[in-house]
Amino acid sequence: MAAKTRFVDNLGDHDGDNPANWTAGLPRADYDARIAAVTACHFSQGYTCLSLMSESSATTVTFNGGNWTFTDGLRLQSGTIFVTDNMVVDGSLYVGNVPGSDLSRLSVRFTQARNMEISGAGIPIDAVVWTSPNAACWAQISGLNCDLFDTDGEVRFGSGTAVTVRNCLTIRPGAIVKAAGTNPVFSIQGDIRAEPGTYTWLAGTGGCRFTGTGDQTLHLGNVEGTFDPVIIEKPAGRLFLENDLVCQSLEHRSGILDPGGKSITTIGDCRIRPGARLADSLNGSAWSVGGSLDWQGQDGDQLVLHGDSPWTLSAMGVATVRYTDVAFCDARGGNVINALDGTSINGGNNLNWLFPPRQPFAVAAGCVQSPGTVAGIPIVPTAVAGEMFVAAAETGVVHA
């Protein structure tokens, strides 16, 4: 059984750095350290010990920075906790019921050759860096809410608690990200960036939500495996793709997605909801949808699907669009795109799309075609009153 030492504040000065306030002296490498039911405890430096736990909800614990190393971990499950200067924890971290606490200057760095765990209860902390010196080790993550996340080891997201990265998620060569199982939704407010090299991403079912208020970048690099379902729910700004994307599904709810000429492949469904936007130009982009395709604008606010050179769309399942304005789309790689409800605009040069039949209209006597205005429309001679022409010629005629 591990030796224990408890902070009981013998001197009443709340000083966690004073050996006299501990039952067996300061925390050390072979000690489980406990903070008893005292009013307060404050530290000005870090220690190496098996573990440190706050036992009472009546205690205020203050860490004024310092580097702490734990074999088992730091358990903040009671009391009110304040981190007033940059504090680094090397080892597992468990955060429980600590309302009113401020852990925003606490960061976690896993560098030991053993399995680690971080359970954050959604309370904001600073950076999490998982650098494993042993490829067989892994870090179990749940309830994480951090500013930065950086890994070159194996990380597992296996609980139903949401994971939030307020800035950048960085993946380095050799990393293994296991999001499989009943994983939570990732909420990414900054970029996802893969450094040069190969890593593995094993998709889960929860999805990766892009929720930042500014521009964000998705750069998956040389990934082995399929990315999580992508959910774009941005209040403002654009999501830029820096390389091709293969994901389980895509749900675009708000904000702007800019493919940048890259390919987007979804194993399952691809949906774009009213109010969401794509880039002004889709030139060179290639979409392949393995499940259902459902792209919708709204009345008076069309979803613009434009290019001035070809872009491709391959819909392998049922494809339905409403309130779209589409041009230069080659959809011959998949099923026909159904735009028959009359809400969409055929901007021209679209292949394998179904639009409503063009309606005939009457041309008054003296109408002539404007030369060269619409390619493919035959020259119309001076018309006779009452003669009928198809609607495709409408933009090619003017009143004489």
Side-chain angles (χ1 to χ4, degrees):
M1 180 179 292
K4 288 184 172 58
T5 185
R6 299 178 77 237
F7 179 84
V8 294
D9 200 11
N10 286 321
L11 304 180
D13 59 4
H14 315 320
D15 186 1
D17 300 315
N18 192 328
N21 284 324
W22 295 82
T23 59
L26 291 171
R28 65 188 194 196
D30 57 346
Y31 275 4
D32 280 319
R34 301 288 184 267
I35 300 173
V38 296
T39 302
C41 175
H42 58 78
F43 297 95
S44 296
Q45 64 186 67
Y47 298 91
T48 296
C49 53
L50 292 177
S51 67
L52 175 66
M53 177 189 298
S54 178
E55 296 180 338
S56 172
S57 60
T59 304
T60 298
V61 182
T62 303
F63 295 93
N64 297 313
N67 295 330
W68 290 76
T69 301
F70 299 101
T71 304
D72 292 335
L74 173 63
R75 297 185 66 86
L76 305 175
Q77 59 190 33
S78 295
T80 304
I81 315 297
F82 294 104
V83 179
T84 62
D85 203 350
N86 295 331
M87 172 185 176
V88 178
V89 171
D90 185 353
S92 296
L93 171 69
Y94 174 85
V95 177
N97 182 26
V98 288
S101 298
D102 184 353
L103 309 180
S104 59
R105 302 189 72 173
L106 180 152
S107 60
V108 181
R109 297 181 181 272
F110 299 112
T111 62
Q112 303 175 59
R114 60 190 306 272
N115 297 335
M116 299 291 178
E117 179 180 359
I118 178 170
S119 179
I123 294 178
I125 65 174
D126 191 13
V128 173
V129 179
W130 167 237
T131 301
S132 175
N134 185 339
C137 297
W138 45 264
Q140 182 75 38
I141 309 294
S142 65
L144 178 63
N145 181 348
C146 65
D147 186 53
L148 300 169
F149 189 92
D150 190 318
T151 183
D152 66 1
E154 179 177 330
V155 289
R156 301 178 180 181
F157 299 89
S159 78
T161 310
V163 171
T164 298
V165 180
R166 301 188 304 275
N167 202 323
C168 187
L169 189 158
T170 302
I171 308 166
R172 300 187 183 276
I176 301 173
V177 180
K178 291 186 175 181
T182 56
N183 69 291
V185 170
F186 292 91
S187 179
I188 307 297
Q189 298 172 9
D191 300 337
I192 294 181
R193 178 160 297 278
E195 295 297 319
T198 301
Y199 68 98
T200 301
W201 188 292
L202 302 178
T205 58
C208 183
R209 294 173 63 232
F210 291 88
T211 59
T213 57
D215 290 344
Q216 296 177 256
T217 298
L218 175 56
H219 176 76
L220 293 180
N222 189 18
V223 58
E224 295 180 353
T226 302
F227 194 64
D228 273 39
V230 171
I231 303 165
I232 305 170
E233 201 166 21
K234 293 176 57 56
R238 294 174 178 249
L239 174 62
F240 293 92
L241 296 188
E242 288 198 1
N243 59 343
D244 297 340
L245 170 64
V246 179
C247 58
Q248 291 290 336
S249 62
L250 190 148
E251 175 92 14
H252 189 181
R253 299 173 181 171
S254 60
I256 300 173
L257 171 62
D258 190 339
K262 308 301 189 297
S263 69
I264 298 176
T265 300
T266 64
I267 306 303
D269 300 341
C270 181
R271 294 185 173 92
I272 303 178
R273 295 307 184 202
R277 293 283 181 272
L278 296 179
D280 296 335
S281 173
L282 297 178
N283 290 353
S285 66
W287 300 68
S288 178
V289 179
S292 298
L293 179 145
D294 184 4
W295 290 4
Q296 300 195 31
Q298 53 196 341
D299 190 12
D301 186 17
Q302 305 287 114
L303 173 62
V304 178
L305 307 171
H306 274 192
D308 49 29
S309 64
W311 61 281
T312 63
L313 174 59
S314 300
M316 304 307 172
V318 176
T320 304
V321 298
R322 300 186 73 242
Y323 295 105
T324 62
D325 182 354
V326 57
F328 276 96
C329 178
D330 183 349
R332 291 175 296 177
N335 295 330
V336 66
I337 309 298
N338 182 354
L340 289 172
D341 69 345
T343 63
S344 294
I345 299 171
N346 181 2
N349 297 287
N350 297 306
L351 301 173
N352 206 30
W353 283 71
L354 287 181
F355 293 95
R358 293 165 175 168
Q359 300 300 316
F361 67 98
V363 179
C367 283
V368 296
Q369 183 186 25
S370 295
T373 54
V374 178
I377 299 178
I379 294 177
V380 181
T382 301
V384 178
E387 190 171 357
M388 305 297 291
F389 292 89
V390 295
E394 186 171 6
T395 55
V397 296
V398 295
H399 289 289

